[in-house]
Amino acid sequence: MKKIAVLGSTGSIGTQTLEIVRANPDLRVVALAAGSSVEKMEAQVREFHPLIVGMWSEEAAKELRLRLADVDVRVVSGMEGLLEIAVFPQSEVLVTAIVGMIGIRPTIAAIEVGKAIALANKETLVTAGHLIIPLAKKHGVPILPVDSEHSAIFQSLNGEPSGKISRILLTASGGPFRGRTRKELQNVRVEDALKHPNWSMGKKITIDSATMVNKGLEVMEAKWLFGVERSRIQVVVHPQSIIHSMVEYVDGAIIAQLGVPDMKLPIQYALFYPDRRPLAGKRVDFFELGQITFEKPDLEAFPGLALAYRAIDAGGSLPTVYNAANERAVALFLEGKIGFLQIAELIETAMNLHQVIEEPSVEEILQVEAWTDEMIDKEVHQ
Ligand code: NDP
Ligand code: MG
């Protein structure tokens, strides 16, 4: 029996994780956490019987306690609650399916007590990778990638020494606006940006895919997970999303992982690694597919990717500014307060104004986040 805790259980990755639990009786959910979705959480508790659940909002936690008065479960709230769930003694694996930098402290706390991490929450690695990767090594804790590209790289690396990697080829669908010019992106609406061609995901990452900031975050994520510098990570636009990423070795051999787009595969692979379990679903039919294609990313129409390269090269706290500015700008875009192109513009403004701190501590990372939020709100409301 493998015991798991899930942060962000009501979201896109969280609910797909629970689908895998449903199909595999040797997985047991011991702890769950979400933001404010009380109704969904109540249903999850009644189905999966965790021992502890957390809601970010105290109000939601109160309501959940009332609804679950007939169930023997502890309900906690806020950051303290998230931390308690992250280190919950009965769990072996923590699935980090929460969205944003809020995941930093719980992820670190879980590593410190030796939990394996199934990592979807890329923002945590982007901003605190320099702390998390050495910490995981020190505690002998595996960080198992859930992000589809990183899972593909992980699967392609299986059994090969990392010293033999020549390049990582990180594939990107290009999102809903692939092929458009910057001018054509000026007036795109929130509804258009939320229509991803291949994947159904949470709102934040769907917008990140439309701006290609998601790919920028993923280059940073790959750098930390696989210890490969940016110059050896190439983004390859591949609109069909069948090749989920590739590794090129020193002899020129390229190993890739292919499959229909379905996040359940990388989630399940992380949960059972190194085992492979059966997974129902569509299979790739190469005759139906006919062809798969490749393009260079358009850094002019999608400056979010170029800004990521700049943030990686400068290092220190600049990736935190890149990420925090994006989180704030995406929230403002979803609220209809700024236009689509302003997302990358605000990231750039924040990066230009920031004084880089080398090797920032968790405290400093969170201070930089607060500075960035404040700066962006001033910029937007002036
Ligand atoms: P969703 O928006 O669908 O879900 C986010 C989850 O986090 C929800 O359960 C939400 O709860 C919870 N949450 C949000 N804020 C808090 C908080 N402060 N405290 C506790 N819980 C909180 O996101 P996704 O599932 O799409 O993405 C999750 C992560 O996985 C992101 O980092 C994303 O980049 C990454 N990822 C996602 C992929 C996908 O296919 N969706 C693919 C690859 C990576 P509530 O419902 O109550 O708001
Ligand atoms: Mg991805």
Side-chain angles (χ1 to χ4, degrees), residues 3 24 102 105 123 139 173 196 207 285 306 344 355 369:
K3 294 177 181 153
N24 291 276
I102 191 92
R105 291 184 57 203
E123 297 91 344
H139 290 276
S173 70
H196 196 282
I207 301 302
D285 178 335
Q355 204 75 30
E369 181 190 27

Side-chain angles (χ1 to χ4, degrees), residues 72-335:
D72 187 16
V73 63
R74 222 158 84 68
V75 180
V76 293
S77 66
M79 180 51 77
E80 254 172 59
L82 281 184
L83 291 171
E84 201 174 329
I85 285 168
V87 303
F88 192 60
Q90 277 92 330
S91 87
E92 295 158 70
V93 182
L94 178 69
V95 181
T96 62
I98 198 169
V99 58
M101 294 173 65
I102 191 92
I104 296 175
R105 291 184 57 203
T107 305
I108 288 179
I111 294 171
E112 281 172 341
V113 296
K115 311 287 183 200
I117 308 290
L119 185 136
N121 178 219
K122 63 189 87 182
E123 297 91 344
T124 282
L125 215 48
V126 160
T127 53
H130 60 288
L131 303 173
I132 286 172
I133 297 297
L135 192 69
K137 279 210 179 97
K138 181 178 152 200
H139 290 276
V141 160
I143 309 262
L144 301 151
V146 167
D147 209 346
S148 59
E149 295 78 359
H150 304 74
S151 176
I153 294 161
F154 187 58
Q155 293 177 58
S156 303
L157 284 170
N158 218 347
E160 300 276 357
S162 64
K164 302 294 175 190
I165 304 173
S166 145
R167 281 192 302 167
I168 284 178
L169 300 157
L170 188 73
T171 53
S173 70
F177 303 137
R178 183 179 58 86
R180 295 209 197 174
T181 61
R182 204 170 153 66
K183 202 159 166 259
E184 288 166 339
L185 291 173
Q186 209 142 31
N187 296 317
V188 298
R189 297 167 310 168
V190 173
E191 308 86 277
D192 304 321
L194 283 175
K195 278 187 205 133
H196 196 282
N198 305 340
W199 299 97
S200 157
M201 310 179 283
K203 279 188 183 170
K204 191 255 175 188
I205 185 174
T206 305
I207 301 302
D208 289 352
S209 301
T211 56
M212 286 200 79
V213 165
N214 182 50
K215 217 39 65 176
L217 297 172
E218 289 186 353
V219 173
M220 301 182 192
E221 187 185 8
K223 177 192 134 171
W224 289 118
L225 283 171
F226 307 113
V228 172
E229 66 267 34
R230 199 268 282 180
S231 58
R232 293 198 294 141
I233 305 172
Q234 186 174 77
V235 173
V236 178
V237 176
H238 160 47
Q240 298 81 15
S241 297
I242 295 296
I243 300 180
H244 297 305
S245 278
M246 310 177 247
V247 178
E248 184 189 274
Y249 288 94
V250 287
D251 57 359
I254 294 173
I255 311 277
Q257 186 251 322
L258 286 71
V260 294
D262 180 355
M263 285 309 296
K264 286 202 286 299
L265 190 148
I267 299 170
Q268 178 169 293
Y269 192 76
L271 289 177
F272 291 109
Y273 177 78
D275 194 14
R276 274 190 194 275
R277 289 285 175 96
L279 179 65
K282 250 187 109 188
R283 298 296 188 247
V284 175
D285 178 335
F286 284 98
F287 302 121
E288 190 188 312
L289 195 61
Q291 60 171 2
I292 51 178
T293 57
F294 305 95
E295 297 164 18
K296 264 194 187 157
D298 179 350
L299 297 184
E300 208 182 297
F302 302 97
L305 184 53
L307 287 168
Y309 292 153
R310 204 182 114 196
I312 301 170
D313 293 346
S317 55
L318 208 56
T320 293
V321 173
Y322 175 84
N323 179 74
N326 178 61
E327 285 189 25
R328 190 74 200 115
V330 169
L332 290 167
F333 174 67
L334 286 169
E335 287 167 23

